[in-house]
Amino acid sequence: ERPKPGHGPEIVAGAGSADVVGRVGSIYCKWSDPSNRGDRLVDGKDLCNAKRPKLDDDNCTRLCVDHLVWAVNSLPEGIDAVEKLTGIRPCVGGQHLGLGTHNALLSLGDSVYLEILAADPSQPPGACWLGVDSEELPRLTTFCARRLDGSGDIEEVINHARTTAKYDAGPVKDCSRKTPDGRELRWRLAASNHNVGFSQLPGGGLVPFIIDWSPCSMPHPSKASPAG
């Protein structure tokens, strides 16, 4: 089951804005500038008044937030911390073999979820993708976006960002991981620029990596994860 078109906080590929706000269920996240990136996981009552980029229906490819990445030192400790903050215990997701990480998931509603990400001690050390190597954990490090219209054509998004913002999101790769019950979750991802360590995340984490769930026959993680 793919996310429904039009669901999720909307962003714009190639849009320039000093503030980026994602409204995700009862949690709001704000990155004001690269020097203050990903430092808040706050209650929904603390609404951020941010500037929103002007949309041009003819000239921009619309995206929406797919999930937020909250990097932690230890996955069990991260799960406990999120449960303490929200009252909901995230479920274990699985391992990212070859990338050195594993994750847990919490649905934020409306086809958006929180990914709790940590280095996987069962894999070789040195994991750095999505900012999991930050010296100041736990913290929000970056976020993932998908097409708002539900299309799997993320190549169009990448081309648009390349021509309008001079940003190359990199190649699209086929990815997968096993769920705890042995099923295979599959997706396509443009995230090579986010596999360089926290200090080098594009835009200080403000530039998202792009995902396409069309190869997956399983429910979107926001539908299969615990929710409040």
Side-chain angles (χ1 to χ4, degrees), residues 3-52:
K4 295 180 180 179
H7 282 234
E10 186 175 348
I11 58 179
V12 182
S17 176
D19 294 338
V20 177
V21 170
R23 176 174 179 173
V24 284
S26 63
I27 294 177
Y28 291 76
C29 303
K30 176 181 179 181
W31 297 265
S32 295
D33 57 63
S35 65
N36 190 32
R37 57 196 170 198
D39 62 347
R40 304 220 293 165
L41 179 61
V42 297
D43 186 81
K45 296 179 181 178
D46 187 12
L47 177 59
C48 302
N49 295 316
K51 299 176 183 178
R52 298 195 62 172

Side-chain angles (χ1 to χ4, degrees), residues 36-37 79 86 103 132 136 153 162 173 176 179 190 215 218:
N36 190 32
R37 57 196 170 198
I79 291 173
T86 65
N103 67 3
V132 76
E136 299 180 7
D153 187 7
R162 187 182 295 121
K173 296 184 178 181
S176 67
T179 63
M218 295 174 57

Side-chain angles (χ1 to χ4, degrees), residues 173-177 185-189 211-213 215:
K173 296 184 178 181
D174 294 327
C175 303
S176 67
R177 67 167 172 80
L185 190 70
R186 300 173 61 230
W187 65 94
R188 300 169 67 234
L189 198 67
I211 197 165
D212 163 28
W213 288 105

